Amino acid sequence: MTFSDSFLAESADILEHVDTAAVESCVEHLAELRARSGRLFVLGVGGSAGHASHAVNDFRKLCQIEAYTPTDNVSELTARINDDGWDSSFSDWLVGSNLNERDGILVFSVGGGDKQRGVSANLVSAMDTARKRGAMVLAIVGRDGGYARLIADECVAIPPLY
């Protein structure tokens, strides 16, 4: 079997195991957000920051949802990290953006964060802030979903290969 054959077979296997009910639930939540003219704040770190930026483009252009990500403004993000620390960088940005009950956040994360171990602490803090402000929390994560699976209104977990 070639690399391409193997890659495509693994990709198909993963897609067959995605919880389609969770995907549909996310779509319904996003449609409700758009209907109430809410804003969507898309959060991700590392490669997920790239996904967040691209998702903002698609939500704005294709779905007519007002969307933003903190990682698109490197100057503000690094100033927040420098002055206030990594853990609060996203949550403080959400507060400064006047996140409210009409809005929502969408988290992209491999592990979904871990509050006890301090993994992806800025995402965990952002999800807690969204909850406190009554905003919707959606997540697309890998592995077992971590903290995101516990706190989100809906969480799509991409199943691991093995």
Side-chain angles (χ1 to χ4, degrees), residues 101-158:
E101 66 280 348
R102 287 182 27 225
D103 300 328
I105 68 169
L106 171 59
V107 174
F108 289 118
S109 176
V110 171
D114 186 316
K115 202 169 202 172
Q116 282 66 44
R117 295 186 314 138
V119 176
S120 297
N122 63 337
L123 294 175
V124 168
S125 179
M127 288 184 273
D128 285 342
T129 296
R131 270 286 157 255
K132 288 175 189 162
R133 290 178 160 248
M136 171 190 72
V137 178
L138 302 176
I140 300 174
V141 299
R143 299 185 188 145
D144 66 357
Y147 188 67
R149 184 169 220 111
L150 301 174
I151 194 171
D153 294 294
E154 191 59 72
C155 180
V156 177
I158 306 303

Side-chain angles (χ1 to χ4, degrees), residues 25-38 102 136:
S25 177
C26 280
V27 171
E28 290 170 10
H29 282 294
L30 290 166
E32 291 167 4
L33 176 126
R34 182 176 63 186
R36 66 178 175 264
S37 299
R102 287 182 27 225
M136 171 190 72

Side-chain angles (χ1 to χ4, degrees), residues 49 53 69-82 86 89-90 93:
S53 186
T69 181
T71 53
D72 277 351
N73 185 339
V74 174
S75 297
E76 180 183 1
L77 178 62
T78 56
R80 288 186 181 282
I81 293 167
N82 185 62
W86 176 251
S89 59
F90 285 179
W93 178 81

